[in-house]
Amino acid sequence: MGWLEEHVIALTGGGSGLGRALVDAFVEEGARVAVLEYSPAKAATLAAETDPARVVVVTGDVTTFAANAALVAAAVERWGRLDSFVANAGLWDFGKTLADTAPDDLARGFDALYAVNVKAPLLGAKAALDALRASEGSVIVTLSNSALYPGGGGPLYVSSKHAGVGLVKQLAYELAPDVRVNAVAPGGMLSDLRGPAELGLADTSVGTDS
């Protein structure tokens, strides 16, 4: 028996990096995991490398309510319940400073980062709310040490993670006592975390960035 035996989890951004590590850890502890992944190639690899009795993969855009709802529906249809929603998908700005970012890029980058780092957890929590109330479950948002301190990115990333703290606090306030809402703030790690296409960073990952 693992710590999460028969626990049903919906997780976003599980195709690589921290998300993939979480999928593997959850499964090892006995959980069943529905994963939302943006990249069709990563989604296919994840599906091929995991036990279909334990992992179901949905391909979609985490910044849309429809994709989050499809993720929750996949978990509930497959296993009859949802115990946790883990909002893990994220983008980084690779430390682009205010002074070095053109005004148009700043505006487009803001929209892109906030869509993934702030709007997506909000939409995911909304999509999962009824199922989590039924199970008295939990929401966990992956933030960053940049949610607590400056210097872990540029103003777009750092402010988005600080916004995530506010979102977690408000949702914890609103959804108590039926649904617990918490966050984790990991430090930096080498992974396939990427930046927004609007800043020319869609093909740049933390693990390969020099």
Side-chain angles (χ1 to χ4, degrees):
M1 296 288 287
W3 287 99
L4 299 173
E5 195 69 29
E6 303 309 320
H7 201 83
V8 177
I9 299 171
L11 177 141
T12 65
S16 61
L18 176 61
R20 177 58 191 271
L22 288 172
V23 172
D24 293 341
F26 290 156
V27 170
E28 185 176 350
E29 290 295 339
R32 302 171 182 183
V33 189
V35 181
L36 179 60
E37 172 54 49
Y38 180 76
S39 164
K42 291 181 181 179
T45 298
L46 180 62
E49 294 179 351
T50 53
D51 181 355
R54 288 286 176 181
V55 177
V56 60
V57 184
V58 176
T59 304
D61 183 349
V62 73
T63 68
T64 68
F65 179 78
N68 284 280
L71 172 67
V72 171
V76 174
E77 289 171 7
R78 179 70 64 91
W79 297 300
R81 60 184 290 121
L82 181 67
D83 297 294
S84 295
F85 181 88
V86 181
N88 172 74
L91 290 175
W92 192 41
D93 64 4
F94 287 81
K96 283 187 172 290
T97 66
L98 181 67
D100 293 336
T101 307
D104 288 347
D105 290 343
L106 196 66
R108 289 192 294 264
F110 179 95
D111 292 343
L113 256 84
Y114 270 71
V116 175
N117 293 357
V118 184
K119 182 172 74 172
L122 180 64
L123 294 177
K126 177 63 175 178
L129 183 55
D130 289 344
L132 294 178
R133 278 179 166 157
S135 66
E136 296 185 341
S138 64
V139 173
I140 301 172
V141 180
T142 299
L143 294 177
S144 163
N145 58 355
S146 294
L148 306 172
Y149 307 106
L156 296 178
Y157 180 77
V158 173
S159 66
S160 76
K161 291 302 181 177
H162 276 69
V165 173
L167 178 62
V168 168
K169 289 180 177 179
Q170 180 63 25
L171 293 183
Y173 170 77
E174 287 189 17
L175 304 185
D178 300 326
V179 178
R180 301 178 306 282
V181 183
N182 291 285
V184 293
M189 63 190 75
L190 294 178
S191 73
D192 197 38
L193 177 64
R194 302 194 178 206
E198 290 78 1
L199 293 178
L201 297 170
D203 297 323
T204 304
S205 71
V206 174
T208 59
D209 181 52
S210 58

